[in-house]
Amino acid sequence: MSGSSENLFDHALRPVTTENIYKNLDRGVSLNVYAAKDKGMDRMLEDLEQAARRHQTAVEVIHLTMRYFVDKFEEFGKQLYPKLGLKEQATPSGSLESAIDTTFTQQNKKCWIFLEEFDALLDNPEIDAGFDNPFYGYLNILKQHPSVSLLCATEKIIKSYTYYTKTENAAGNIETKQHGSSPLVFSEKKELLALKEYEISQELKRRIAPLNTWMESWQIDRLVQGVGSTHSSWLLLQHSIGVIEEEREGLKVLDTKAFETWWNTSEADWKKNYAPSLERKVLAKQKEAGKLRRLFIGVLAIFIGKQSSEKAVAKVKVKLWQKLTGGAIVGGGSLWLAFQEYIKEFIEGLLK
């Protein structure tokens, strides 16, 4: 790895974590990097790409976001395989290894493949049939090749997901099979943790320079503390930077009380209009609902056999709610109302 560590990662949101992942990639190690959506995974991958561009002339980064290809395997192949030296979209493993050797190894080049939002393919029975066992076999070949480093970015550690494949049975029908765990095994795993206060402070100084022209040091400290205490600190940090850029000429003159009022107002505005809302948290549970689909079909069938459809629906709603949230129902709450809207279509579909 060329260049000093300080210069190589001075652009990074998480310089220490970015350096650690970078060094693994540089050694040819493949990784599963995982974090909740509001932790800044997209920024981490951008920082890695930028470091590679600045200091690694002999590395090619292929960055694909998998949610765009869930039902478009052919398009995924068009985006990936030609960059590996392949013309076909489905090739024997020997051809894949040979192509990588020709494209990278013999040219003394490295290839880093970032598959962002890889979990769009996991816990998901509705994926394109092309994402089958041979697909995972190709990924394992890539993962093990000395010239390639594969990074799969997910929200949870990859081994916690269920994966699905589709096959054609003897009658010519497509069957979906559920498998207990992913066939991709990573010896190196890295979780992106909440931003540290020094990371927040450095990002502010990078994005708003010179920061001390617009804010007093105690104001900066208060802002860093406020952002750092929030679960979605990366999202709030971005929002705060935008607000500062709009109002910075008026911030430095604020006394402690006035600045506190400004911060509280800005944070409240973010929570109301930009933060991940309770309703969106419910929608984010759709994957978990899909994972439990067979269970609830069985439960619903039992209820319908014994009671009216109306009572069956009500009981299944309660059971599904408790399974997803682990909590009790609070009538009239925004989370419960959003859930009602979401689950209505799901239940009606089962009753058809």
Side-chain angles (χ1 to χ4, degrees), residues 136-302:
Y136 285 101
Y138 296 151
L139 291 187
N140 275 313
I141 292 170
L142 293 173
K143 185 167 67 73
Q144 295 163 10
H145 197 284
S147 296
V148 178
S149 298
L150 175 66
L151 188 158
C152 287
T154 54
E155 289 188 40
K156 301 181 295 184
I157 193 167
I158 201 166
K159 67 179 182 181
S160 67
Y161 291 94
T162 298
Y163 84 101
Y164 293 83
T165 57
K166 294 184 178 181
T167 56
E168 186 175 337
N169 60 24
N173 299 317
I174 299 297
E175 292 183 344
T176 301
K177 292 186 177 180
Q178 177 180 327
H179 306 269
S181 60
S182 171
L184 277 178
V185 179
F186 292 89
S187 58
E188 191 68 26
K189 298 166 282 289
K190 186 68 177 178
E191 181 181 10
L192 301 187
L193 303 176
L195 289 173
K196 297 179 173 61
E197 288 193 358
Y198 85 88
E199 295 169 336
I200 296 170
S201 178
Q202 289 302 312
E203 180 69 5
L204 281 169
K205 292 173 182 177
R206 274 191 298 269
R207 300 274 294 276
I208 307 174
L211 184 60
N212 57 7
T213 301
W214 310 108
M215 299 178 70
E216 298 287 357
S217 59
W218 65 266
Q219 293 176 327
I220 298 171
D221 291 343
R222 175 65 184 93
L223 181 62
V224 168
Q225 182 186 40
V227 171
S229 65
T230 307
H231 177 74
S232 302
S233 55
W234 167 234
L235 300 181
L236 179 54
L237 175 58
Q238 294 179 91
H239 174 72
S240 300
I241 289 171
V243 173
I244 293 169
E245 288 176 336
E246 290 179 2
E247 304 179 13
R248 51 189 174 187
E249 292 188 6
L251 293 178
K252 199 167 186 176
V253 299
L254 300 179
D255 60 19
T256 304
K257 184 177 180 179
F259 185 82
E260 193 70 23
T261 300
W262 171 82
W263 166 252
N264 290 336
T265 302
S266 298
E267 185 179 30
D269 174 66
W270 174 76
K271 287 180 178 179
K272 180 180 178 181
N273 299 306
Y274 302 100
S277 67
L278 294 175
E279 288 79 7
R280 278 176 286 197
K281 286 182 180 179
V282 170
L283 296 179
K285 294 292 185 178
Q286 287 187 22
K287 284 188 177 180
E288 295 178 42
K291 193 175 181 181
L292 297 166
R293 181 180 177 83
R294 288 185 177 84
L295 168 63
F296 292 117
I297 289 176
V299 171
L300 186 60
I302 292 173

Side-chain angles (χ1 to χ4, degrees), residues 17 24 30 56 128 133 158 187 226 273 280 287 295 301 306:
T17 303
N24 276 289
S30 293
Q56 279 277 19
D128 191 294
N133 284 320
I158 201 166
S187 58
N273 299 306
R280 278 176 286 197
K287 284 188 177 180
L295 168 63
K306 295 181 179 180

